[in-house]
Amino acid sequence: MKIIHSIEGIRAVRSGYSPQSVGFVATMGYLHEGHLALVKQAKRDNERVIVSIFVNPKQFGPTEDLSRYPRDMERDFALLHTSGVDLVFVPDIETIYPADFQTVVEVSRITQTLEGAHRPTHFAGVTTVVAKLFNIVQPTRAYFGQKDAQQAAVIQQMVRDLNFNLEIVIGPTVREPDGLALSSRNKYLDTEQRAAATTLYRSLKAAEGLWESGVRDGNVLRQKMMDVLSAEPLARVDYVSAADPATLVEYGSTVPAGSGVLLSMAVFIGQTRLIDNFLLAVREGE
Ligand code: PAF
C-alpha cells in the first residue's frame, strides 16, 4: 500500500492504474467499520482502491469540533493495509488549500434544509473538497455512506450538475448491535451518554413502525420521533425530519401516494452532535 501526500504523486500513480477501474473512498480518518464496509464494496467493484484521509477545515463551522476531531493515522493505515487498499492520499492543508485558493463549489437548493439549515457553511465545504478530490483522484466509482444521507444527495446532485465522469455508490449505514450508527464522533461519548445515544435509533424504529402500519402524515412521524427522543434526559434535539427523499423538503400532513420518506435527525448527547436516518420506501403496489 502506497501512502502519498502530494497531488503530483497521486497523479503519477493513478495514471499507472489506467485502464483499470478505480474505486475511491474519501474520509476524514479515524476509520471505523462503516468506512471499511465502503472500502470492501470498492474492492469488490474495482481493480484498484484509493482512500483519502483529510480533515477538511472548510466543512466545520466556527463553533464546531475541528480542533478536537479524533485522529489516529497509524491505526488508519494499518486498517487500510489489511483491507487491501492500493493507495492512501494524505494531503496537508496547504496542498488542498494553498494561500491563493478562492473557489467554492456550492449546490444550492437541497443544501438549504436539514443539516444545511443548522450548519450553513457545511455543504459548500464538503462539495468544494469532494470536487477537488474527484479531480485529483479521477475515480471510476466513489463510495459514500447512507449515514450522511443529505451529504450523499448533495454529492450526487453536484456530480450530475457538473458532469463528473464517475459513478456514485451509496453504502448502507453500519450499526452497533444496539442500533447506534457508527460514527467517528461516538468516541466523544462517556458510558452514560453511549447508552443514551441509542435513542436516535429507537426513535427511528418507532416512526418506521408507524410508516409500516400505513401512517402517511409527516407531522405524526416527526412527533413520534420527538416523543421517543424527549423521553431521554441526556438528549437535546437539534431537528427531526420526515422529508421527501429526492428534494429533502418536509412533508406536511400528507405524503403523496407512491412516495417514500427520509426520516432523519440531529441530536446532541451532551456536547456531541449525532445524526441518523432511515430511508423508507413505499410498499409494493402502494
Ligand atoms: O463524510 C465525510 O467524512 C466527509 O464529509 C468527506 C466526504 C470525506 C468530505 O470531507
Side-chain angles (χ1 to χ4, degrees):
M1 184 177 83
K2 291 192 169 69
I3 297 168
I4 293 186
H5 299 272
S6 72
I7 293 170
E8 310 77 64
I10 291 292
R11 292 225 153 108
V13 177
R14 169 68 183 92
S15 64
Y17 291 164
S18 295
Q20 293 174 311
S21 56
V22 172
F24 174 52
V25 183
T27 82
M28 299 205 299
Y30 210 75
L31 304 177
H32 52 63
E33 287 299 326
H35 298 111
L36 299 179
L38 296 178
V39 169
K40 206 180 261 181
Q41 204 171 339
K43 284 278 296 176
R44 272 199 304 270
D45 299 345
N46 303 277
E47 289 150 294
R48 298 286 189 172
V49 174
I50 301 178
V51 172
S52 64
I53 300 177
F54 178 66
V55 181
N56 174 34
K58 287 200 190 292
Q59 69 188 77
F60 288 79
T63 62
E64 293 180 0
D65 58 350
L66 172 61
S67 62
R68 67 178 194 130
Y69 196 82
R71 292 163 168 88
D72 191 344
M73 212 66 111
E74 291 313 312
R75 182 175 162 276
D76 289 347
F77 291 152
L79 288 169
L80 294 175
H81 180 69
T82 310
S83 305
V85 166
D86 295 279
L87 176 58
V88 189
F89 178 40
V90 195
D92 59 22
I93 294 192
E94 293 72 33
T95 300
I96 296 295
Y97 301 119
D100 69 339
F101 188 81
Q102 41 192 307
T103 299
V104 178
V105 178
E106 193 159 11
V107 173
S108 56
R109 273 196 306 281
I110 60 167
T111 57
Q112 300 305 303
T113 61
L114 307 175
E115 287 299 288
H118 292 77
R119 305 177 71 192
T121 57
H122 173 66
F123 284 118
V126 170
T127 42
T128 300
V129 82
V130 170
K132 284 182 64 85
L133 291 168
F134 285 172
N135 282 331
I136 296 164
V137 172
Q138 308 259 319
T140 316
R141 300 183 186 84
Y143 296 78
F144 296 88
Q146 175 61 28
K147 156 86 179 353
D148 297 299
Q150 188 173 15
Q151 169 172 283
V154 169
I155 290 171
Q156 284 171 304
Q157 187 72 45
M158 175 187 80
V159 164
R160 282 196 301 277
D161 289 351
L162 298 183
N163 309 98
F164 278 98
N165 189 20
L166 54 88
E167 182 190 339
I168 299 291
V169 183
I170 307 301
T173 302
V174 180
R175 298 180 180 281
E176 300 281 5
D178 64 5
L180 178 66
L182 296 195
S183 162
S184 305
R185 292 188 168 96
N186 293 350
K187 175 191 155 58
Y188 300 145
L189 304 170
D190 66 23
T191 312
E192 207 186 342
Q193 292 169 337
R194 170 64 187 80
T198 59
T199 189
L200 282 82
Y201 179 71
R202 287 186 280 108
S203 70
L204 288 165
K205 282 305 262 187
E208 180 187 48
L210 289 184
W211 176 264
E212 283 174 353
S213 70
V215 172
R216 295 293 181 269
D217 180 330
N219 299 322
V220 172
L221 295 168
R222 282 186 291 273
Q223 189 57 50
K224 188 69 187 176
M225 293 186 279
M226 276 307 284
D227 290 347
V228 175
L229 293 166
S230 312
E232 172 48 66
L234 296 186
R236 184 167 55 82
V237 176
D238 205 13
Y239 67 82
V240 294
S241 164
D244 181 322
T247 61
L248 306 185
V249 172
E250 289 301 316
Y251 284 137
S253 56
T254 49
V255 173
S259 302
V261 64
L262 178 69
L263 302 175
S264 68
M265 60 187 56
V267 178
F268 283 95
I269 305 287
Q271 298 297 307
T272 305
R273 187 173 181 278
L274 300 177
I275 59 172
D276 201 354
N277 71 84
F278 280 6
L279 179 58
L280 304 179
V282 282
R283 285 169 305 196
E284 218 156 283
E286 207 179 300

